[in-house]
Amino acid sequence: LYQPLKTIEGMPPAVAYDPIHCKGCGAVLNPFSHVDFASKLWVCPFCMTRNHFPPHYAENFTEVNLPAELIPQ
């Protein structure tokens, strides 16, 4: 039986902010995006456009402290 609104055990809660979109194709930041931590840029895996992180992201993340969108699980 298919239940699209059923809650899944172990599923992390939804984040309380809007997703970051690619300026080239509109794709959303995801774990497959390449991130350049030194220059605070991410590369869209679909159109290869280099995108800047918003200021509130750029000041709060490192290779160890990733935003929710970049955590693979």
Side-chain angles (χ1 to χ4, degrees):
L1 182 64
Y2 180 70
Q3 297 177 336
L5 300 178
K6 181 180 179 182
T7 57
I8 300 172
E9 288 185 37
M11 179 74 112
V15 294
Y17 49 86
D18 293 332
I20 297 177
H21 294 277
C22 173
K23 65 183 176 186
C25 68
V28 178
L29 176 66
N30 61 69
F32 299 105
S33 304
H34 175 72
V35 178
D36 183 0
F37 292 98
S39 59
K40 304 294 184 182
L41 295 171
W42 64 281
V43 179
C44 177
F46 300 105
C47 68
M48 301 304 168
T49 302
R50 295 174 57 90
N51 300 283
H52 290 279
F53 282 101
H56 67 280
Y57 265 70
E59 63 190 25
N60 293 325
F61 79 88
T62 62
E63 293 181 36
V64 178
N65 184 20
L66 293 173
E69 296 90 344
L70 297 176
I71 299 173
Q73 51 282 24

